[in-house]
Amino acid sequence: MLENRFPNIKVIESGVKQLKSEEHCILTEDGNQHLYKKLCLCAGAKPKLICEGNPYVLGIRDTDSAQEFQKQLTKAKRIMIIGNGGIALELVYEIEGCEVIWAIKDKAIGNTFFDAGAAEFLTSKLIAEKPEAKITHKRTRYTTEGRKKETRTKAKADNVGSALGPDWHEGLNLKGTKEFSRKIHIETMCEVKNIYLQEEFRILKKKSLTFPRDHSKKSVTTDKEMWPVYVELTNEKIYGCDFIVSATGVTPNIEPFLHGNSFDLGEDGGLKVDDHMHTSLPDVYAAGDICTASWQPSPVWQQMRLWTQARQMGWYAAKCMAAASLGESIDMDFSFELFAHVTKFFNYKVVLLGKYNAQGLGSDHELMLRCTKGQEYIKVIMQNGRMMGAVLIGETDLEETFENLILNQMNLSSYGEDLLDPNIDIEDYFD
């Protein structure tokens, strides 16, 4: 499709076998080699699976694994979700007709995005019956073309497909075998200790727990049913389930490019890039989840391995490469001035701005909150009278006003608590 639209683009469908950076050459698995003047590595990240090679452990990272998950779910009565990021949050809300045991290592859900207050606000929505009307999205939708189902050979199974993006579960029917809408039990402050297959579990004569029916501390009952796989948590509880979803984050996918090349790597394992998306090797750029931003960032921006940010980086990297080829200089892109992410959790619109969780601000900051149960949750991070970040859940209509207040660093001390007074039309005031 790209080749048809742009005659200057050539698409090569093959994995990379090796990068020979000194020779400016890429070797591909189909046996060819390609010379380059400039190269941009956008190979994304791989899921951190809680254990490799177990048929009952599914990672969800790309379009293919999401479809595989849907297929498994149609036969499932109970599943276990491990992890506390965006994908885990979306899954627990979207799955119907299947018992879900959700194990998280933190005290509260959604730790990457929220503090405990916002988590509490959202958790009440999990227990409520699910409303049918989905909130509408006012942004471009990204979907993949329906491909012919290739049978995935072993060699293909390791290849990662395209990353999911924000609309990944839209076309999937996430329904298990049961007739209820939602049953979720959350186990906090724990991680996976062991995973047992059915046979091993029987030999060890261990006991597993039934799905907790209510939150009272009644006597814990042993599960009589036999499950294909069992998970032992670090809090000593064992649950059986049909399969396990490992949604425990990602690691930069740098392996194919390391051999024979001395890349500088960031602490998180990504390829270090400067403020022009240039790696430590000549003419090699990187963008998205594979890279680690190593420039001195704006005080209200931070890197997060998010689909939206990867797209901005790719776009900016292309501009940098073009400018370098023409010998022109280029300024840092505006999208790196302020961290901004819009998503949807539990059918609420969620906007994160700047240092939304007071990242790196130490104890020298204060919070302002406004919360209307079941409707909206607003948290603002202030430092020295200036707004540094915000979390907006629900239809608050404050994102543009707050974005401007964070960017222009206006001193807001004189407004005090009035800043969040629902009776004051703050967006009008700062228009």
Side-chain angles (χ1 to χ4, degrees):
M1 187 187 80
L2 272 175
E3 284 185 346
N4 288 341
R5 281 176 59 189
F6 305 101
N8 61 331
I9 290 181
K10 184 174 179 221
V11 176
I12 297 145
E13 284 198 64
S14 178
V16 170
K17 198 162 149 192
Q18 198 191 342
L19 159 64
K20 295 187 170 179
S21 60
E22 286 185 7
E23 294 153 49
H24 279 53
C25 167
I26 282 263
L27 304 182
T28 45
E29 281 166 3
D30 57 13
N32 289 322
Q33 52 174 318
H34 307 275
L35 294 171
Y36 64 83
K37 279 187 185 165
K38 300 218 173 297
L39 172 71
C40 190
L41 301 176
C42 303
K46 292 187 297 201
K48 282 185 215 158
L49 280 187
I50 45 177
C51 85
E52 295 289 337
N54 186 321
Y56 296 103
V57 176
L58 290 184
I60 297 189
R61 181 216 163 264
D62 55 21
T63 40
D64 293 355
S65 53
Q67 275 160 348
E68 177 60 23
F69 167 70
Q70 177 184 335
K71 204 170 82 194
Q72 299 280 359
L73 186 63
T74 55
K75 308 188 285 268
K77 294 193 295 254
R78 183 194 297 167
I79 67 166
M80 192 138 180
I81 295 176
I82 315 291
N84 200 9
I87 285 184
L89 278 170
E90 294 186 292
L91 274 185
V92 289
Y93 184 75
E94 295 293 334
I95 290 169
E96 297 186 356
C98 179
E99 294 175 348
V100 176
I101 294 167
W102 185 13
I104 60 177
K105 64 179 193 296
D106 312 293
K107 280 191 181 125
I109 66 169
N111 208 34
T112 17
F113 300 101
F114 308 122
D115 59 1
E120 181 60 35
F121 173 82
L122 285 169
T123 307
S124 58
K125 186 77 172 249
L126 266 190
I127 303 155
E129 275 303 300
K130 195 155 133 190
E132 280 315 294
K134 291 266 167 57
I135 61 164
T136 51
H137 272 308
K138 300 189 183 93
R139 60 167 165 71
T140 323
R141 292 282 294 280
Y142 296 92
T143 54
T144 49
E145 286 286 309
R147 287 178 308 152
K148 292 187 179 65
K149 282 277 163 285
E150 313 144 15
T151 46
R152 290 182 79 170
T153 57
K154 187 69 206 106
K156 276 218 81 105
D158 297 334
N159 292 350
V160 283
S162 72
L164 289 169
D167 302 305
W168 70 275
H169 52 70
E170 293 288 323
L172 297 180
N173 174 24
L174 299 184
K175 195 150 174 29
T177 55
K178 305 280 189 77
E179 276 313 305
F180 51 79
S181 83
R182 221 196 271 119
K183 272 193 187 157
I184 296 158
H185 173 68
I186 306 175
E187 289 284 348
T188 57
M189 308 286 285
C190 66
E191 293 182 62
V192 174
K193 187 171 166 190
N194 280 307
I195 295 176
Y196 306 106
L197 298 181
Q198 191 182 73
E199 191 50 35
E200 193 183 357
F201 187 78
R202 203 184 276 141
I203 293 164
L204 290 169
K205 293 192 165 53
K206 288 190 176 279
K207 289 192 169 16
S208 71
L209 304 174
T210 54
F211 189 85
R213 288 293 154 227
D214 52 28
H215 297 290
S216 62
K217 296 273 180 282
K218 286 200 181 127
S219 58
V220 182
T221 50
T222 308
D223 201 348
K224 297 281 185 283
E225 189 161 348
M226 289 306 288
W227 298 92
V229 65
Y230 290 84
V231 182
E232 182 176 8
L233 299 169
T234 48
N235 61 11
E236 306 304 318
K237 293 183 183 178
I238 301 179
Y239 290 103
C241 57
D242 288 306
F243 65 92
I244 304 156
V245 178
S246 173
T248 43
V250 294
T251 47
N253 185 25
I254 57 175
E255 261 54 59
F257 311 106
L258 292 185
H259 181 69
N261 302 301
S262 52
F263 279 108
D264 286 352
L265 300 182
E267 279 176 22
D268 57 9
L271 304 175
K272 273 189 173 182
V273 291
D274 65 14
D275 57 0
H276 284 66
M277 307 310 284
H278 204 261
T279 66
S280 55
L281 299 184
D283 298 319
V284 181
Y285 295 73
D289 285 6
I290 194 175
C291 77
T292 300
S294 300
W295 62 85
Q296 185 59 51
S298 135
V300 286
W301 184 86
Q302 65 264 336
Q303 183 181 6
M304 245 181 124
R305 287 189 162 75
L306 294 164
W307 197 85
T308 43
Q309 205 173 76
R311 190 169 164 272
Q312 290 167 341
M313 284 181 167
W315 188 73
Y316 174 56
K319 285 171 57 173
C320 290
M321 290 166 81
S325 302
L326 298 167
E328 294 172 357
S329 66
I330 182 174
D331 288 332
M332 186 87 201
D333 192 81
F334 184 70
S335 55
F336 302 107
E337 277 300 305
L338 170 74
F339 175 86
H341 183 56
V342 183
T343 184
K344 185 181 85 169
F345 290 127
F346 302 0
N347 212 28
Y348 284 113
K349 177 178 173 180
V350 175
V351 182
L352 307 173
L353 295 172
K355 301 289 181 186
Y356 62 89
N357 246 348
Q359 295 94 325
L361 298 183
S363 53
D364 174 30
H365 67 274
E366 49 193 46
L367 305 180
M368 282 202 255
L369 283 177
R370 173 170 123 201
C371 179
T372 313
K373 204 173 171 183
Q375 200 175 325
E376 61 173 21
Y377 178 93
I378 299 165
K379 178 182 80 168
V380 172
I381 319 286
M382 304 292 289
Q383 189 177 45
N384 304 327
R386 288 166 173 80
M387 195 182 291
M388 297 301 288
V391 174
L392 305 170
I393 305 178
E395 294 296 333
T396 64
D397 283 335
L398 289 169
E399 53 268 39
E400 283 186 25
T401 307
F402 283 8
E403 184 175 26
N404 290 331
L405 289 175
I406 297 170
L407 278 171
N408 65 28
Q409 287 294 289
M410 177 180 169
N411 191 334
L412 303 166
S413 316
S414 55
Y415 301 100
E417 295 291 317
D418 287 347
L419 207 55
L420 292 187
D421 186 335
N423 302 314
I424 296 173
D425 196 346
I426 191 97
E427 49 189 311
D428 233 21
Y429 187 81
F430 287 111
D431 205 7

